[in-house]
Amino acid sequence: MAETDPSPILVLVRDLMFSGRILAEARAAGANVKVVRDPAKIAELESDNSSLMIADLNLPGAIAAAADWRRRGGGTVVGFVSHVDSEAISVAREAGLDQVLARSRFVEVLPSLLKSKTG
């Protein structure tokens, strides 16, 4: 079994079904995950040593929260969004998020993304 990266993956997702899917994949990969459901709570994190944030960009306030987290010294931000939400895609890219993926593509790459965070 792979050794878990000590820094948790920060997951900003409100949808319980989808966060459950992410958590199941994280367990399978041996990744340490911290779930936050409210974008406003991201700014309140005091000792966040995460090197990766996964964010649901269709969640109101998520793009700004993810961009702020990244600017404050966070690591990589991988966001997912409905493929038809071209405005959110454009805003997220302009905000400097590292990857902006359609939700279906995100689901495809999630296992490898999580495995890349384990030892």
Side-chain angles (χ1 to χ4, degrees):
M1 182 178 206
E3 186 176 317
T4 302
D5 183 333
S7 65
I9 297 169
L10 188 58
V11 177
L12 176 58
V13 179
R14 184 173 293 158
D15 181 288
L16 293 176
M17 295 293 286
F18 206 70
S19 64
R21 184 177 198 167
I22 293 170
L23 290 172
E25 289 286 350
R27 276 192 299 276
N32 183 12
V33 175
K34 179 177 186 174
V35 177
V36 177
R37 301 206 184 281
D38 180 356
K41 301 289 184 194
I42 298 295
E44 298 172 11
L45 295 176
E46 289 185 20
S47 61
D48 179 44
N49 62 341
S50 300
S51 60
L52 172 65
M53 175 192 278
I54 294 172
D56 179 351
L57 303 180
N58 289 124
L59 180 61
I63 295 172
D68 181 60
W69 176 82
R70 189 172 187 277
R71 277 191 298 275
R72 289 186 293 122
T76 303
V77 176
V78 176
F80 61 90
V81 65
S82 168
H83 72 281
V84 297
D85 194 345
S86 57
E87 182 178 345
I89 293 167
S90 177
V91 170
R93 288 183 175 149
E94 288 173 16
L97 303 190
D98 299 287
Q99 289 186 46
V100 180
L101 304 170
R103 186 178 298 263
S104 59
R105 178 69 181 138
F106 171 75
V107 169
E108 290 175 6
V109 302
L110 179 59
S112 61
L113 179 66
L114 293 169
K115 286 178 183 163
S116 73
K117 294 301 299 170
T118 59

